[in-house]
Amino acid sequence: MAKFLNTSATNYFLEELIKSASDRLILISPFLKLNDRIKELLEDKNRLKIDVRIIYGKNELQNDEINWLSRLTYVRTSFCKNLHAKCYINEENCIITSLNLYEFSQVNNNEMGVVVSRLDDQELYKEAYAEAQRIIRISDEVRISLEKVTDKEEDIISKEDEVSGKEENSRTQANTNSKKTKLTTSKLAKKLGKKTDELIKELISLAYVEIKNEKEMLTQKGIESGGEQKKGRYGDYFLWEEDFNI
C-alpha cells in the first residue's frame, strides 16, 4: 500500500531510494540543482556502474551542474519540454511527489508525496514505471560530456558582455572612458575565496538574488548594486562588478 510522505520523509525516502538502487534509477524533475548529499549518492551509483537516467524540464542548468554531470559516465540526462512531473524510481520503489531535485525546494518548501512499493502495489508501480519510460522516450538526450562549460568559456561570456557594454556606453556617453569589468558569479566567488553555491546562498540571504518559481532572479537591490542577469547558452547567469563585495 502507498505510504504518505511529508517534507522530511520525502527527502529521507528519496535518499534511501537512490542508495538502494542496484540495477536502475530514474529521476524525473523539472528543476535540476542537486545538493551535495544527492551528488555523493549519484557519484557512488556511477562508481558501481548503475544505469541512472535524469530527466529535467527547465533548460537552465548551472555551470557547476553541467561540469559535475560531465564527469559521470553512467548518468544520462534528457530534456523533456513542458515537464512538470516529479517522480523517482528504482527497481523496487517509486516516489511520486511535489519535491523537485532542487536544493532550495528540499530545504525551504513544504512538500508532500507518496512512496509506492513494487512488492505491495505491483499494478500501481507498473503504471508509474511505464509512464516514466514514456517520458524518457519523448525526451531529448543531452550529451553533457560534449557540452562542458569551462572557466575559459565563462571568461569569453564575461568579456563579450563587457565589450558590448563598452560599445553601447561609448555611443550614449561620449565622455565615459570605459565600463567596469563584470564577473560571472563563479568568477566572483573565486575572487572572494568562496564556493559558487556558498556565494549564491549569501546573495539570496542578503536579498541581492531571490527565488521565483524555483528560479534564481536578480532583485532590485541586486540591480542597484550593479548586477546584471543575462541569458546564455545554458540558461540565465549573473554578472557582477569586479569590486562587488557582500
Side-chain angles (χ1 to χ4, degrees):
M1 180 178 295
K3 180 178 180 179
F4 173 78
L5 306 175
N6 60 16
T7 305
S8 58
T10 302
N11 280 293
Y12 170 77
F13 275 93
L14 175 59
E15 287 194 13
E16 291 301 307
L17 183 141
I18 295 173
K19 283 196 295 185
S20 62
S22 60
D23 180 50
R24 60 182 179 273
L25 177 64
I26 301 171
L27 304 175
I28 299 174
S29 171
F31 295 92
L32 185 60
K33 186 176 181 182
L34 308 174
N35 62 39
D36 290 341
R37 175 63 175 165
I38 297 296
K39 284 183 177 180
E40 288 177 2
L41 294 174
L42 291 177
E43 286 170 356
D44 188 49
K45 297 294 107 174
N46 186 69
R47 283 190 289 269
L48 294 172
K49 300 182 179 180
I50 304 299
D51 180 35
V52 178
R53 295 296 304 265
I54 300 177
I55 299 89
Y56 64 98
K58 301 296 181 183
N59 198 15
E60 297 162 353
L61 291 185
Q62 299 294 316
N63 294 344
D64 289 347
E65 234 66 33
I66 295 168
N67 291 337
W68 175 76
L69 284 166
S70 70
R71 300 194 296 268
L72 305 182
T73 307
Y74 294 92
V75 176
R76 292 184 289 167
T77 57
S78 297
F79 175 77
C80 182
K81 184 179 179 181
N82 299 325
L83 180 68
H84 198 258
K86 298 96 176 177
C87 181
Y88 313 115
I89 304 176
N90 66 14
E91 60 276 1
E92 296 296 335
N93 293 288
C94 168
I95 297 174
I96 301 172
T97 176
S98 60
L99 181 74
N100 279 297
L101 281 180
Y102 193 81
E103 186 174 19
F104 182 87
S105 301
Q106 293 170 308
V107 174
N108 297 280
N109 291 350
N110 291 307
E111 309 284 356
M112 63 174 63
V114 295
V115 58
V116 178
S117 166
R118 184 175 67 88
L119 181 63
D120 298 331
D121 291 288
Q122 187 172 4
E123 191 61 31
L124 183 56
Y125 174 91
K126 182 178 178 182
E127 290 177 0
Y129 183 80
E131 180 61 14
Q133 290 296 317
R134 187 192 70 82
I135 289 175
I136 291 174
R137 289 195 299 272
I138 65 173
S139 301
D140 296 320
E141 187 166 345
V142 179
R143 298 191 179 279
I144 296 290
S145 61
L146 301 180
E147 301 292 348
K148 182 176 179 181
V149 176
T150 65
D151 290 337
K152 185 176 181 180
E153 289 177 34
E154 287 192 340
D155 284 337
I156 292 171
I157 291 172
S158 182
K159 288 176 182 177
E160 286 176 348
D161 280 287
E162 181 185 351
V163 170
S164 64
K166 286 181 179 178
E167 291 175 349
E168 181 179 351
N169 199 45
S170 63
R171 288 195 298 268
T172 57
Q173 300 180 17
N175 295 326
T176 301
N177 294 325
S178 63
K179 188 178 181 180
K180 287 186 178 180
T181 300
K182 297 274 186 170
L183 301 178
T184 60
T185 305
S186 61
K187 281 294 182 183
L188 179 62
K190 288 181 181 178
K191 181 175 181 292
L192 298 176
K194 304 174 184 288
K195 293 182 178 179
T196 303
D197 286 347
E198 177 187 352
L199 178 58
I200 290 175
K201 288 178 182 177
E202 290 185 26
L203 291 168
I204 293 172
S205 68
L206 295 172
Y208 291 100
V209 174
E210 63 183 344
I211 304 294
K212 282 188 176 180
N213 297 322
E214 303 193 26
K215 178 180 177 182
E216 292 162 2
M217 303 288 293
L218 203 62
T219 64
Q220 186 60 38
K221 180 179 178 180
I223 295 171
E224 290 173 356
S225 70
E228 295 182 50
Q229 187 159 350
K230 298 285 189 178
K231 288 191 177 296
R233 184 179 182 185
Y234 300 100
D236 288 7
Y237 63 95
F238 301 125
L239 291 176
W240 308 93
E241 292 186 357
E242 190 175 26
D243 58 358
F244 177 78
N245 192 334
I246 61 176

